[in-house]
Amino acid sequence: EGTVIAADTGLPITATIQSNSAFQTATNGVGMYAMQIVSGTYELTAVSTNPNYGTATATVSVADNQTITQDFQLYLSCEIFSDDVEGGTNGWIAQSPWAISTVNPHSPSHSWTDSSGTYGNNLDVSLTSPVIDLSDYSDVELDFWQICSTEAGYDYCILEASADNGATWSGISQWDGYSNNWVEINLSASVLDGASQAKVRFRLSTDGYVTGDGWHVDDLRISGSGVGCVAPVQYRYLYLPFVVR
């Protein structure tokens, strides 16, 4: 049993309490929950019904006839990093032929692209973000706009993430096939939760035959929830004069 509160206000919050088994429950009107389970070890996750808040997870172990108190504090979600490609490279590392282009951007007047016409054969080229500190955040998500126009089944637009400054990379998603329209992409990137040296990269991989227009990327945003989303308390001081008599 326990309570679920909002970290920014301290007020109770409506949430479901999920586990890595069939057991789950929900809070009542004052943010309290109780759940009867079989003795064992469980991973519990509090999920707010308000999409503006992230989740919180805890591991609990209980024995027969034992009551465990496990409270949860949920943080607001917020934007951590954004780039609309209107201010230059801003620390992005672009392997040629990746470059900023003014041809058909999503939002005026620039976007990243791997080609100004059609891409080449036998390419493996990346556009890599600067290091982003996500050490105070969880529930990390990536949001961006793209046109991926490649030979289906042979040439790929690959999105990857690194939690260790590029030493290792994890695949997030990939796309292929011809397209002429901008599409908004929103993906979970939990591999970056708590990473102090996070990076993302857009990697174009092609074979040796048919080519296409390639990959266009614009308006990248990274969001998450955590202590960094809570505004610092603003203090005001009142100075009162005093007279020594």
PDB file of all heavy atoms in Angstrom, residues 148-160:
ATOM      1  N   CYS A 148      11.559   9.878 -45.309  1.00  0.00           N
ATOM      2  CA  CYS A 148      12.484   8.795 -45.628  1.00  0.00           C
ATOM      3  C   CYS A 148      12.043   8.203 -46.958  1.00  0.00           C
ATOM      4  O   CYS A 148      10.961   7.621 -47.058  1.00  0.00           O
ATOM      5  CB  CYS A 148      12.471   7.719 -44.538  1.00  0.00           C
ATOM      6  SG  CYS A 148      13.505   6.278 -44.925  1.00  0.00           S
ATOM      7  N   SER A 149      12.884   8.373 -47.966  1.00  0.00           N
ATOM      8  CA  SER A 149      12.534   7.917 -49.306  1.00  0.00           C
ATOM      9  C   SER A 149      13.685   7.081 -49.847  1.00  0.00           C
ATOM     10  O   SER A 149      14.680   7.618 -50.360  1.00  0.00           O
ATOM     11  CB  SER A 149      12.249   9.116 -50.223  1.00  0.00           C
ATOM     12  OG  SER A 149      11.766   8.685 -51.473  1.00  0.00           O
ATOM     13  N   THR A 150      13.568   5.754 -49.701  1.00  0.00           N
ATOM     14  CA  THR A 150      14.637   4.838 -50.092  1.00  0.00           C
ATOM     15  C   THR A 150      14.066   3.621 -50.812  1.00  0.00           C
ATOM     16  O   THR A 150      12.862   3.374 -50.791  1.00  0.00           O
ATOM     17  CB  THR A 150      15.418   4.342 -48.855  1.00  0.00           C
ATOM     18  OG1 THR A 150      14.561   3.468 -48.087  1.00  0.00           O
ATOM     19  CG2 THR A 150      15.891   5.495 -47.991  1.00  0.00           C
ATOM     20  N   GLU A 151      14.976   2.837 -51.398  1.00  0.00           N
ATOM     21  CA  GLU A 151      14.579   1.578 -52.027  1.00  0.00           C
ATOM     22  C   GLU A 151      14.152   0.603 -50.934  1.00  0.00           C
ATOM     23  O   GLU A 151      14.953   0.223 -50.073  1.00  0.00           O
ATOM     24  CB  GLU A 151      15.734   0.994 -52.836  1.00  0.00           C
ATOM     25  CG  GLU A 151      15.360  -0.305 -53.552  1.00  0.00           C
ATOM     26  CD  GLU A 151      16.563  -1.000 -54.166  1.00  0.00           C
ATOM     27  OE1 GLU A 151      17.706  -0.614 -53.854  1.00  0.00           O
ATOM     28  OE2 GLU A 151      16.346  -1.946 -54.950  1.00  0.00           O
ATOM     29  N   ALA A 152      12.884   0.205 -50.954  1.00  0.00           N
ATOM     30  CA  ALA A 152      12.341  -0.663 -49.909  1.00  0.00           C
ATOM     31  C   ALA A 152      13.081  -1.996 -49.863  1.00  0.00           C
ATOM     32  O   ALA A 152      13.314  -2.633 -50.895  1.00  0.00           O
ATOM     33  CB  ALA A 152      10.855  -0.898 -50.142  1.00  0.00           C
ATOM     34  N   GLY A 153      13.444  -2.399 -48.645  1.00  0.00           N
ATOM     35  CA  GLY A 153      14.077  -3.692 -48.443  1.00  0.00           C
ATOM     36  C   GLY A 153      15.572  -3.710 -48.676  1.00  0.00           C
ATOM     37  O   GLY A 153      16.219  -4.743 -48.448  1.00  0.00           O
ATOM     38  N   TYR A 154      16.145  -2.579 -49.099  1.00  0.00           N
ATOM     39  CA  TYR A 154      17.580  -2.552 -49.406  1.00  0.00           C
ATOM     40  C   TYR A 154      18.296  -1.339 -48.803  1.00  0.00           C
ATOM     41  O   TYR A 154      19.445  -1.455 -48.367  1.00  0.00           O
ATOM     42  CB  TYR A 154      17.805  -2.579 -50.921  1.00  0.00           C
ATOM     43  CG  TYR A 154      17.315  -3.844 -51.569  1.00  0.00           C
ATOM     44  CD1 TYR A 154      16.038  -3.921 -52.121  1.00  0.00           C
ATOM     45  CD2 TYR A 154      18.127  -4.987 -51.618  1.00  0.00           C
ATOM     46  CE1 TYR A 154      15.579  -5.087 -52.703  1.00  0.00           C
ATOM     47  CE2 TYR A 154      17.680  -6.157 -52.204  1.00  0.00           C
ATOM     48  CZ  TYR A 154      16.397  -6.208 -52.742  1.00  0.00           C
ATOM     49  OH  TYR A 154      15.941  -7.366 -53.322  1.00  0.00           O
ATOM     50  N   ASP A 155      17.646  -0.191 -48.803  1.00  0.00           N
ATOM     51  CA  ASP A 155      18.253   1.029 -48.265  1.00  0.00           C
ATOM     52  C   ASP A 155      17.423   1.505 -47.079  1.00  0.00           C
ATOM     53  O   ASP A 155      16.184   1.541 -47.161  1.00  0.00           O
ATOM     54  CB  ASP A 155      18.309   2.118 -49.334  1.00  0.00           C
ATOM     55  CG  ASP A 155      19.101   1.677 -50.561  1.00  0.00           C
ATOM     56  OD1 ASP A 155      19.957   0.800 -50.422  1.00  0.00           O
ATOM     57  OD2 ASP A 155      18.837   2.219 -51.651  1.00  0.00           O
ATOM     58  N   TYR A 156      18.090   1.895 -45.984  1.00  0.00           N
ATOM     59  CA  TYR A 156      17.373   2.122 -44.736  1.00  0.00           C
ATOM     60  C   TYR A 156      17.742   3.453 -44.073  1.00  0.00           C
ATOM     61  O   TYR A 156      18.901   3.878 -44.098  1.00  0.00           O
ATOM     62  CB  TYR A 156      17.661   0.989 -43.752  1.00  0.00           C
ATOM     63  CG  TYR A 156      17.181  -0.357 -44.235  1.00  0.00           C
ATOM     64  CD1 TYR A 156      18.037  -1.216 -44.911  1.00  0.00           C
ATOM     65  CD2 TYR A 156      15.862  -0.750 -44.037  1.00  0.00           C
ATOM     66  CE1 TYR A 156      17.591  -2.451 -45.375  1.00  0.00           C
ATOM     67  CE2 TYR A 156      15.405  -1.979 -44.492  1.00  0.00           C
ATOM     68  CZ  TYR A 156      16.268  -2.823 -45.159  1.00  0.00           C
ATOM     69  OH  TYR A 156      15.829  -4.035 -45.623  1.00  0.00           O
ATOM     70  N   CYS A 157      16.729   4.067 -43.465  1.00  0.00           N
ATOM     71  CA  CYS A 157      16.895   5.199 -42.554  1.00  0.00           C
ATOM     72  C   CYS A 157      16.858   4.625 -41.142  1.00  0.00           C
ATOM     73  O   CYS A 157      15.810   4.135 -40.701  1.00  0.00           O
ATOM     74  CB  CYS A 157      15.762   6.205 -42.742  1.00  0.00           C
ATOM     75  SG  CYS A 157      15.603   6.867 -44.419  1.00  0.00           S
ATOM     76  N   ILE A 158      17.962   4.690 -40.430  1.00  0.00           N
ATOM     77  CA  ILE A 158      18.112   3.994 -39.153  1.00  0.00           C
ATOM     78  C   ILE A 158      18.325   5.006 -38.034  1.00  0.00           C
ATOM     79  O   ILE A 158      19.252   5.816 -38.091  1.00  0.00           O
ATOM     80  CB  ILE A 158      19.296   3.010 -39.199  1.00  0.00           C
ATOM     81  CG1 ILE A 158      19.127   2.021 -40.362  1.00  0.00           C
ATOM     82  CG2 ILE A 158      19.439   2.261 -37.874  1.00  0.00           C
ATOM     83  CD1 ILE A 158      20.363   1.191 -40.650  1.00  0.00           C
ATOM     84  N   LEU A 159      17.478   4.952 -37.015  1.00  0.00           N
ATOM     85  CA  LEU A 159      17.616   5.816 -35.841  1.00  0.00           C
ATOM     86  C   LEU A 159      18.240   5.008 -34.703  1.00  0.00           C
ATOM     87  O   LEU A 159      17.748   3.928 -34.358  1.00  0.00           O
ATOM     88  CB  LEU A 159      16.251   6.344 -35.410  1.00  0.00           C
ATOM     89  CG  LEU A 159      16.225   7.179 -34.129  1.00  0.00           C
ATOM     90  CD1 LEU A 159      17.026   8.466 -34.302  1.00  0.00           C
ATOM     91  CD2 LEU A 159      14.788   7.487 -33.717  1.00  0.00           C
ATOM     92  N   GLU A 160      19.320   5.554 -34.118  1.00  0.00           N
ATOM     93  CA  GLU A 160      20.033   4.864 -33.044  1.00  0.00           C
ATOM     94  C   GLU A 160      20.273   5.819 -31.881  1.00  0.00           C
ATOM     95  O   GLU A 160      20.262   7.033 -32.054  1.00  0.00           O
ATOM     96  CB  GLU A 160      21.370   4.315 -33.555  1.00  0.00           C
ATOM     97  CG  GLU A 160      21.199   3.283 -34.661  1.00  0.00           C
ATOM     98  CD  GLU A 160      22.502   2.894 -35.315  1.00  0.00           C
ATOM     99  OE1 GLU A 160      23.287   3.805 -35.643  1.00  0.00           O
ATOM    100  OE2 GLU A 160      22.727   1.683 -35.513  1.00  0.00           O
TER     101      GLU A 160
END
